[in-house]
Amino acid sequence: MALCCYEGSAPDEGPSAEANAILVTAGHSAKGRFIVKALFEAKKGFQVKALVDDPFSEQSQVIADMGAMVVKGSISTLERIWLATKGCGTAICCLDPMDIVTDDAKATHERVLNFAEHCHEKKIRNFVLCGDYAELQKLDVDPAAELLKLGFKSVHVVAQPLFCFEDFTERLGGMFVGLSKNSCRMELDVDPKSELPMACAEDAGKIVANCALHPSRLTENPIRVNATARTLEGYAKDLSEA
């Protein structure tokens, strides 16, 4: 995982008193939940709002119990997230792997830019992008530079693999097909011998939260957090022995 930070105009020490909420997209995902958790653990007193696919799901209830305001919506439903963006000084665009896995890099980039433009129109000053930045870098343009053109005071890009360990155990676990009371089969349309890099959602959440809470703290070099690459056969074996 890498952290790339970019700053536009004057530095800022965090969301202002007038806009003291932080918005997190894909709050129902493992990455989103750990970002919300890290924001509350920092105890800075900011309100946290989270966009989720289902406000009544078990995952959404977890962050609601932490104190987050959960709102149904995503970066693709801009017309329905005005309540979520209202009063926010910082937006964390956490890309849900299950939403973008079928996208190409260009489509994902356009959705991020549309969401970012919407955030800027709502007077959000700081923007954090958290996702598979390696895919976005395949474009002819620099996504971070494009975000800065919108006029944010600060733009941070946290790059990590598409999936995290928690995604594999929680999301892909839903693909298990029961065979009997004591056995099951996982069905995935992928090469079992191909390597799949993963990172820890909790580690990523702390980095992303720090970007949101301290947007003026920049670094010249990317911060690297180790990611593990193993074959799907290896992960499946780990799950079966867990």
Side-chain angles (χ1 to χ4, degrees):
M1 186 193 307
L3 169 65
C4 303
C5 303
Y6 304 81
E7 186 167 276
S9 52
D12 186 74
E13 288 303 324
S16 66
E18 294 77 19
N20 63 352
I22 299 175
L23 174 65
V24 181
T25 69
H28 54 275
S29 67
K31 295 175 184 177
R33 293 201 309 276
F34 277 107
I35 291 171
V36 171
K37 180 174 181 285
L39 289 171
F40 281 118
E41 287 180 344
K43 298 182 179 179
K44 297 294 184 180
F46 298 117
Q47 180 186 13
V48 178
K49 300 181 180 182
L51 294 180
V52 299
D53 57 359
D54 178 6
F56 302 102
S57 68
E58 181 180 351
Q59 292 83 359
S60 297
Q61 190 58 53
V62 169
I63 58 176
D65 289 344
M66 295 179 192
M69 172 184 176
V70 295
V71 180
K72 180 177 177 61
S74 70
I75 64 174
S76 299
T77 59
L78 303 183
E79 71 282 356
R80 293 183 292 180
I81 61 172
W82 65 270
L83 180 61
T85 55
K86 185 178 180 180
C88 291
T90 298
I92 299 174
C93 182
C94 176
L95 299 179
D96 186 342
M98 302 306 286
D99 289 338
I100 68 173
V101 71
T102 58
D103 271 354
D104 57 28
K106 183 178 180 180
T108 299
H109 179 55
E110 289 178 351
R111 287 203 294 152
V112 170
L113 284 183
N114 290 337
F115 173 70
E117 186 174 4
H118 176 82
C119 290
H120 188 260
E121 290 174 354
K122 299 300 180 182
K123 310 302 181 185
I124 292 176
R125 299 184 298 168
N126 307 307
F127 194 87
V128 183
L129 173 60
C130 173
D132 189 3
Y133 194 61
E135 288 298 313
L136 297 181
Q137 284 182 313
K138 294 178 181 179
L139 301 170
D140 294 332
V141 298
D142 180 0
E146 292 294 297
L147 290 170
L148 277 176
K149 291 178 182 178
L150 297 177
F152 291 108
K153 283 196 171 183
S154 68
V155 171
H156 294 245
V157 178
V158 178
Q160 58 183 328
L162 182 62
F163 288 101
C164 61
F165 297 114
E166 293 82 358
D167 275 318
F168 191 80
T169 55
E170 294 176 11
R171 300 292 194 82
L172 300 189
M175 298 180 185
F176 278 111
V177 179
L179 298 178
S180 67
K181 203 169 186 179
N182 300 314
S183 66
C184 60
R185 181 179 72 251
M186 176 180 278
E187 295 185 344
L188 294 172
D189 187 20
V190 291
D191 181 1
K193 296 187 181 300
S194 63
E195 287 196 338
L196 184 66
M198 293 190 194
C200 174
E202 185 168 13
D203 291 343
K206 292 177 181 178
I207 293 175
V208 174
N210 188 57
C211 290
L213 296 170
H214 307 286
S216 65
R217 296 183 184 177
L218 304 180
T219 177
E220 294 183 0
N221 297 310
I223 297 176
R224 303 283 180 179
V225 178
N226 290 333
T228 300
R230 296 188 61 194
T231 65
L232 289 176
E233 285 182 336
Y235 287 123
K237 181 179 179 182
D238 290 343
L239 285 177
S240 66
E241 295 177 350

